Amino acid sequence: MTLQKTRLLLAGAAVSALLIACGQSETKSTTTADQAKQTETVNLPDGITKVEEVKAKSGDEVVIPYTKYTLANGLTVVLHEDKSDPLVHVDMTYHVGSGREEPGRSGFAHFFEHMLFQGSENVADEQHFKLITESGGTLNGSTNADRTNYYQTVPSNQLEKMLWLEADRMGYFLNAVTQEAFEVQRETVKNERGQRYDNRPYGLLFERVGEAMYPEGHPYSWSTIGYLEDLDRADLNDLKKFFVEWYGPNNAVLTIGGDIDKEQTLEWIKTYFGPIPAGPEQEDPVYEPVTLEEDRYISMEDNVQLPLLYMSWPTVHANHPDEAPLDVLANIMGQGQTSLLYKNLQKPGLTVQSNASHGCREIGCTFTMFTLANPAKVQQLGDLEATIRESLTEFEGRGVLDDDLTRVKADIVSSLIYGLESVSGKVSQLAAYETYRDNPNGIGDDIARYEGVTKEDVLRVYEQYIKDNAAVIMSIVPKGQSEMIAQEDTWERYERTIPDTSGESDDFEWSLPVDPEGFDRSVVPPSGENPTIKAPDTYEFAVGDMSVLGAQNTEVPTTTLQLRIKAAQNYDPLEKVGLASLTAGLMNEATTERSAEEISNELDKLGSSVSFSAGDTYTTMTVRTLTENLDATMAIALERLLKPKFSEEDFARDKDNAIQGIRANKKEASVTASNLFNKMMYGADNPTAYASSGTEETVEAITLEDVKGFYAAHYSPKIASVVAVSDLGEAGLKSALEPLTAWTGEDVSSVEMNAFPELNGGTLYFVDKPDAAQSEIRIGKRALPYDATGEYYRAGIMNYPLGGAFNSRINLNLREDKGYTYGARSFFNGDEKAGWYRAGAAVRADATAASIVEFANEIRQYHDSGITDEELTFTKSAIGQSDARAYETPRQKLGFLSRMATYDLEPSFVDEQSDILQGMTKAEIDALADEHLNLDDMIMVVVGDKAKLYDEIVELGYDVVEVDANGNPVE
């Protein structure tokens, strides 16, 4: 589909339903001269100035309707009305990230992301999470090189409370921050670095490349999380000074979308944010081109299975005119099955994965190509580098095809539409555009600049930024295999120059807000009237042998559906576990009619996707498309479903990749711990006790005839059903799915699980992972199969204050109080036939034994004493009000339908759950805790460094058994 055609689609069904009805805004815009201007109907509070109001001025313009305001203190406010669901999304973005830090003071921005959740003058420690969670909301924050944002989605009656919380940490944070909170969060950040960087395969890739790419002292030369030594060197005053410098209202954008009353919202904003004084004026960062005189080869050995080659060229900066053609070049080189890297590296089986991308930040972009080598076919990464360079040369001769431009432009537009399926998606776009461009109305500009890319542009940027230009080339190889690197290092990490900043952190001034007389900011705002929450209306019909369960979603012109075949890993022979997964993977390859590349090209031009996957009990075909392209996309889906080619070439490649993936997963402590726990729960005699990908031995045993046999025996409409969410009504969807009647098949006999093994409660199974910076802990037992309104549901409610929420007992203890982990949780998990209860976390290595003690103490105490009255009130409020967020997006609606279809539920089950929740008593929850949380019935799995931990763990008094990753005893 051409870009113009896509825009006309939006002009018709989409603009009215997607872009205007969500807001119903009056229009007054300063962005284009010919947009209509109307009289402002909102009474503006004193001190708030309206900047502009924007909606589509004509049928072919794509916008998210918004109104933009400023406060006297410099705060920018962007409001978007969306009445489709009873919720609001609040985003506070500060124009500060790691790129505003100074040498020797890295990681401050990310540290503040953590610190600003720790309470302020009028918000107690841990109260921020508690207030939002018990309001039925969800919250988080994120930091990148250029900005930090805090965001929450809550029922619409909670908006005033969210504004109070955001304003209090902006204006009243410094007086409340304590040395204790500072130290705990410093440990939490260290745990995060250990979990995501130091203890993770390839975790140091981007840090090392950044050091080599940018000059010393450049703000992109260090990672967002920063260096541990900088965090260790920082003191509380350093952080306070950084806060005063960057977290003022004049360096922030407050964006709110959803079911809001604009006039009331502005009154609240004035009340809570208006008195906060402006911070120092900040200049936008200055872009300085980065050039490399020659290729910089760097390398490292890591605890990995698959060697990695990463090549990165410096280019331009975000929003530069050449950003768009460089994005198109990246698509041609290494995105999807139409790309040159796929053709030259992945399809021949030389690599397990390959990709090209053009990542942009505010003052720097990089064009990157990377591969994960297949060690069975590649012994030296220099060979892959040569193939990549040959692929670039091939591009010169091949040039840019018409389909290349069509694919990329369709992807841009479809991605924008999919991004508008949630109010959080719309708010996030508005906030980002305003932060980086001072203009929330950036969607039309983005479409226009990609629409304007020509073949000549793409060739020009290749010549200018890539051809014959120097790059950073990094090799990451398994430990002890340095001979595999692409080339000897030509660049060495420097010893960082740390400026002497002693005493500087004491030199800063700041002012508290001066509130109007009589205004008591310490009072938590009340909640508004509870919104009306309604599960989606559903309809049912049959297509051939299959039942279809559907729901209409008129907010976006898209269709998402799943065809669910009730046969997957549960049908795998024990000696060939992984067969269902490998079969599903091959369904994504060539058909008897077309190659995988041809199919991929057609789907990309439609802005659609069709993919197969296999879980424990269902093989699923997932289809996502713009509704205008539903018929064309369903034709491709039917071709994949009915005419898989199952070629020897595809099979050999996919099987080899699966084996390499299994080997790579053995390097992940978290995967090892979870896989071993599952095997302990369900036993070696059940295929679903294993990872769905299988084991090296079982996958090695699978033949192409096995795949063909699994498809013939189990891919049948007799055991299939469809769930779908579309802007089409029932009749329209039924017509679109009619081609599925061509699918025929036989009955498939059901399969039962074998008997489960006896659990040796009180046993701790230890797996040695030498040199691990963190340990993985799993504690649990077999429990209940899924039941939407029975004991399983009630048990989940019981567990919520123990380990189900951020501010649960377990997480507050291990993360917030002790600083042992980045996060700890517990939960019940079940399907139709079985289930288990599990608590777990990745913890700091030196706190492994202490963490086990704390886990055990929390579980025992809850088992013995049960829930408190305060926790019961909190749990009912948090779970009950969260339904306002449950049905917003097509994906959420699809999950609701899938649950109904899987467990044969009526839509009224959500009302039954609500009644059960509100009727739960302390006595009932205490009884459930007593029954299901006896620690003596539970086993423990710990994966960590034996040399450092084993003796201390043995001293805890459990029956400790050392096993390998498969659960076999180690002599």
Side-chain angles (χ1 to χ4, degrees):
M1 182 175 65
T2 65
L3 185 65
Q4 182 61 33
K5 188 174 182 182
T6 304
R7 295 180 71 181
L8 290 175
L9 162 67
L10 289 172
V15 168
S16 59
L18 168 66
L19 304 176
I20 303 305
C22 295
Q24 295 298 335
S25 305
E26 315 85 56
T27 57
K28 179 175 181 291
S29 173
T30 60
T31 57
T32 57
D34 58 347
Q35 281 179 318
K37 295 184 179 181
Q38 296 182 2
T39 302
E40 173 65 64
T41 59
V42 173
N43 295 316
L44 291 178
D46 292 339
I48 295 183
T49 303
K50 180 178 178 180
V51 178
E52 64 182 8
E53 186 168 0
V54 172
K55 73 173 185 179
K57 64 179 183 291
S58 60
D60 65 348
E61 185 182 15
V62 181
V63 299
I64 304 171
Y66 70 88
T67 313
K68 176 179 171 180
Y69 307 88
T70 59
L71 274 63
N73 58 14
L75 178 66
T76 298
V77 177
V78 180
L79 301 183
H80 164 70
E81 289 184 277
D82 179 347
K83 302 291 187 180
S84 57
D85 292 281
L87 54 83
V88 293
H89 185 80
V90 179
D91 179 291
M92 177 64 80
T93 297
Y94 294 94
H95 200 173
V96 56
S98 58
R100 306 298 186 274
E101 296 161 354
E102 300 172 1
R105 291 181 168 177
S106 66
F108 278 28
H110 175 258
F111 198 170
F112 255 107
E113 180 202 318
H114 285 252
M115 290 299 298
L116 285 179
F117 285 109
Q118 300 310 303
S120 46
E121 188 164 315
N122 301 296
V123 182
D125 186 26
E126 317 302 350
Q127 189 180 14
H128 198 114
F129 276 97
K130 184 175 186 292
L131 284 174
I132 293 178
T133 306
E134 73 180 356
S135 296
T138 182
L139 71 159
N140 213 328
S142 68
T143 309
N144 63 28
D146 303 314
R147 64 99 184 101
T148 302
N149 72 334
Y150 301 89
Y151 50 91
Q152 45 266 313
T153 305
V154 295
S156 53
N157 65 324
Q158 304 293 335
L159 176 57
E160 183 183 6
K161 197 177 300 179
M162 300 307 105
L163 297 176
W164 172 74
L165 285 168
E166 287 293 354
D168 209 67
R169 62 178 167 191
M170 176 187 280
Y172 288 86
F173 170 75
L174 289 189
N175 263 3
V177 65
T178 65
Q179 186 68 36
E180 180 183 6
F182 174 82
E183 296 297 346
V184 169
Q185 290 310 309
R186 174 151 54 187
E187 290 304 309
T188 300
V189 172
K190 288 181 178 180
N191 287 323
E192 182 179 358
R193 181 177 169 103
Q195 184 173 330
R196 294 187 172 183
Y197 294 79
D198 300 326
N199 199 40
R200 186 177 187 178
Y202 316 106
L204 296 176
L205 168 65
F206 297 111
E207 181 171 276
R208 297 293 173 83
V209 170
E211 292 169 346
M213 176 70 68
Y214 298 101
E216 182 181 4
H218 189 286
Y220 293 168
S221 65
W222 54 79
S223 62
T224 301
I225 203 165
Y227 296 103
L228 286 180
E229 57 267 29
D230 290 355
L231 291 174
D232 284 335
R233 191 167 44 247
D235 62 28
L236 190 56
N237 272 349
D238 290 328
L239 270 292
K240 286 184 175 182
K241 182 178 180 182
F242 191 80
F243 178 84
V244 170
E245 182 76 11
W246 296 105
Y247 291 80
N250 49 318
N251 197 43
V253 177
L254 173 63
T255 309
I256 305 169
D259 186 8
I260 63 174
D261 178 298
K262 192 186 298 184
E263 192 166 313
Q264 176 64 80
T265 300
L266 291 172
E267 287 286 353
W268 287 332
I269 290 171
K270 175 196 172 183
T271 297
Y272 296 114
F273 290 94
I276 300 175
E281 288 299 322
Q282 302 295 342
E283 299 291 333
D284 287 338
V286 177
Y287 167 67
E288 295 182 4
V290 173
T291 57
L292 304 175
E293 294 182 0
E294 58 184 6
D295 288 331
R296 292 182 173 181
Y297 286 86
I298 57 176
S299 65
M300 65 177 290
E301 296 180 23
D302 198 3
N303 187 27
V304 299
Q305 167 66 25
L306 305 177
L308 177 145
L309 181 70
Y310 191 92
M311 303 177 68
S312 189
W313 289 260
T315 59
V316 290
H317 61 81
N319 302 314
H320 186 282
D322 287 344
E323 180 186 6
L326 281 161
D327 287 349
V328 176
L329 175 63
N331 183 282
I332 296 169
M333 291 304 306
Q335 294 179 18
Q337 292 174 304
T338 59
S339 70
L340 293 174
L341 292 188
Y342 179 85
K343 179 178 77 73
N344 296 333
L345 293 175
Q346 210 164 324
K347 187 162 187 176
L350 299 175
T351 63
V352 173
Q353 184 180 351
S354 60
N355 182 264
S357 62
H358 184 233
C360 276
R361 292 181 283 183
E362 202 164 9
I363 55 172
C365 302
T366 53
F367 186 93
T368 297
M369 295 193 287
F370 91 95
T371 64
L372 288 175
N374 180 349
K377 293 189 176 182
V378 175
Q379 283 70 52
Q380 222 283 327
L381 290 175
D383 296 337
L384 291 185
E385 181 191 352
T387 304
I388 290 175
R389 294 190 184 277
E390 290 166 4
S391 299
L392 289 169
T393 303
E394 181 182 349
F395 165 74
E396 290 186 60
R398 169 193 182 275
V400 181
L401 309 179
D402 290 338
D403 275 0
D404 294 332
L405 297 180
T406 304
R407 273 199 318 272
V408 174
K409 293 172 182 179
D411 178 66
I412 293 296
V413 175
S414 60
S415 296
L416 287 170
I417 295 173
Y418 295 141
L420 302 178
E421 290 179 335
S422 68
V423 67
S424 64
K426 288 180 277 190
V427 165
S428 296
Q429 289 197 41
L430 291 169
Y433 284 133
E434 173 59 28
T435 299
Y436 297 131
R437 303 185 192 178
D438 297 321
N439 176 17
N441 188 25
I443 283 184
D445 294 340
D446 275 347
I447 290 177
R449 65 175 177 151
Y450 284 95
E451 186 178 46
V453 173
T454 65
K455 297 178 181 180
E456 292 74 21
D457 289 331
V458 181
L459 290 167
R460 175 182 55 78
V461 296
Y462 167 75
E463 296 275 351
Q464 183 174 348
Y465 302 105
I466 310 301
K467 183 180 180 181
D468 299 328
N469 283 14
V472 174
I473 302 151
M474 183 167 192
S475 304
I476 299 180
V477 297
K479 290 183 176 180
Q481 299 184 35
S482 60
E483 71 279 359
M484 292 194 70
I485 66 174
Q487 186 174 310
E488 290 298 317
D489 290 7
T490 61
W491 186 86
E492 293 184 5
R493 297 182 75 196
Y494 45 79
E495 198 67 37
R496 291 194 304 139
T497 303
I498 308 299
D500 182 7
T501 57
S502 56
E504 288 185 11
S505 61
D506 298 325
D507 181 24
F508 64 92
E509 297 180 357
W510 59 282
S511 302
L512 281 171
V514 179
D515 289 320
E517 186 175 349
F519 173 52
D520 186 356
R521 196 179 281 263
S522 68
V523 177
V524 180
S527 302
E529 184 178 351
N530 285 339
T532 300
I533 302 167
K534 185 177 181 297
D537 292 327
T538 63
Y539 53 81
E540 294 183 67
F541 59 84
V543 172
D545 292 322
M546 292 176 290
S547 64
V548 178
L549 181 62
Q552 190 170 16
N553 181 68
T554 58
E555 297 169 39
V556 283
T558 64
T559 297
T560 304
L561 65 87
Q562 290 182 337
L563 186 150
R564 306 159 72 248
I565 305 168
K566 196 173 184 180
Q569 187 181 352
N570 53 338
Y571 282 87
D572 280 352
L574 283 173
E575 70 278 9
K576 296 184 179 183
V577 174
L579 176 57
S581 179
L582 192 55
T583 303
L586 281 165
M587 298 294 290
N588 297 316
E589 300 287 357
T591 68
T592 57
E593 305 293 319
R594 289 184 287 182
S595 68
E597 294 89 331
E598 290 171 327
I599 293 173
S600 176
N601 187 46
E602 288 303 310
L603 285 171
D604 288 346
K605 289 194 294 182
L606 293 168
S608 304
S609 62
V610 176
S611 61
F612 286 78
S613 62
D616 284 352
T617 54
Y618 282 92
T619 295
T620 303
M621 180 181 75
T622 302
V623 177
R624 192 183 195 196
T625 182
L626 304 178
T627 300
E628 184 179 87
N629 296 329
L630 177 57
D631 290 343
T633 304
M634 283 304 301
I636 296 172
L638 203 63
E639 180 181 332
R640 279 192 158 165
L641 177 65
L642 302 184
K643 301 177 180 180
K645 187 174 183 179
F646 293 139
S647 74
E648 284 283 0
E649 179 187 7
D650 289 340
F651 171 73
R653 182 183 62 254
D654 285 11
K655 176 178 174 178
D656 198 13
N657 287 348
I659 291 172
Q660 296 302 332
I662 292 167
R663 291 174 180 168
N665 280 336
K666 289 181 179 180
K667 303 293 184 179
E668 296 272 7
S670 61
V671 175
T672 299
S674 294
N675 285 349
L676 181 55
F677 180 86
N678 287 352
K679 193 172 181 180
M680 295 286 186
M681 292 298 106
Y682 294 144
D685 293 336
N686 285 299
T688 51
Y690 301 86
S692 61
S693 55
T695 69
E696 285 187 62
E697 296 75 21
T698 60
V699 174
E700 189 62 56
I702 297 172
T703 67
L704 181 57
E705 290 307 309
D706 292 327
V707 169
K708 292 178 179 177
F710 191 93
Y711 172 80
H714 302 111
Y715 280 54
S716 170
K718 299 286 189 181
I719 55 169
S721 60
V722 176
V723 292
V725 177
S726 174
D727 62 321
L728 295 174
E730 178 179 352
L733 184 64
K734 187 172 186 179
S735 175
L737 298 183
E738 187 65 24
L740 284 172
T741 56
W743 186 25
T744 59
E746 302 300 323
D747 289 327
V748 179
S749 59
S750 61
V751 62
E752 297 297 326
M753 297 186 78
N754 292 312
F756 300 140
E758 182 178 348
L759 289 181
N760 297 316
T763 303
L764 189 155
Y765 298 92
F766 186 89
V767 180
D768 185 22
K769 184 175 175 58
D771 302 321
Q774 289 188 308
S775 302
E776 291 284 346
I777 298 173
R778 304 290 185 269
I779 303 171
K781 53 174 281 189
R782 275 194 302 276
L784 300 160
Y786 179 88
D787 185 341
T789 56
E791 190 168 352
Y792 176 88
Y793 176 69
R794 290 173 166 83
I797 297 171
M798 175 270 291
N799 173 71
Y800 191 77
L802 173 63
F806 179 90
N807 52 314
S808 65
R809 295 186 186 187
I810 287 173
N811 194 58
L812 288 184
N813 183 337
L814 275 80
R815 170 178 161 142
E816 298 299 295
D817 295 343
K818 304 296 193 306
Y820 292 163
T821 180
Y822 182 54
R825 293 289 193 274
S826 65
F827 58 97
F828 286 87
N829 178 72
D831 58 21
E832 294 169 280
K833 297 181 179 179
W836 42 252
Y837 174 79
R838 191 178 84 190
V843 302
R844 206 174 65 224
D846 64 357
T848 305
S851 296
I852 294 171
V853 170
E854 296 305 326
F855 264 119
N857 287 343
E858 293 294 353
I859 294 172
R860 282 198 183 99
Q861 184 176 358
Y862 198 71
H863 168 266
D864 294 342
S865 303
I867 195 170
T868 67
D869 291 336
E870 182 183 1
E871 287 174 329
L872 180 58
T873 301
F874 164 78
T875 297
K876 289 184 177 184
S877 178
I879 297 176
Q881 295 192 82
S882 67
D883 278 351
R885 300 181 287 107
Y887 316 114
E888 180 192 10
T889 68
R891 187 175 297 276
Q892 288 173 305
K893 290 182 173 73
L894 203 68
F896 171 72
L897 298 179
S898 295
R899 195 155 59 251
M900 287 179 57
T902 300
Y903 299 105
D904 193 24
L905 301 171
E906 295 295 326
S908 59
F909 84 90
V910 296
D911 298 323
E912 294 179 55
Q913 287 183 336
S914 179
D915 292 340
I916 291 169
L917 173 67
Q918 297 309 318
M920 292 284 279
T921 64
K922 173 175 168 50
E924 183 178 1
I925 287 181
D926 290 353
L928 288 166
D930 181 67
E931 180 177 355
H932 294 290
L933 297 182
N934 187 344
L935 194 68
D936 294 336
D937 296 336
M938 300 183 191
I939 64 166
M940 299 185 184
V941 173
V942 179
V943 180
D945 188 344
K946 179 181 178 181
K948 297 176 182 176
L949 309 175
Y950 198 71
D951 291 344
E952 190 176 1
I953 288 176
V954 169
E955 291 176 2
L956 295 178
Y958 295 99
D959 181 11
V960 180
V961 180
E962 185 181 358
V963 296
D964 62 20
N966 295 317
N968 301 313
V970 174
E971 298 298 332

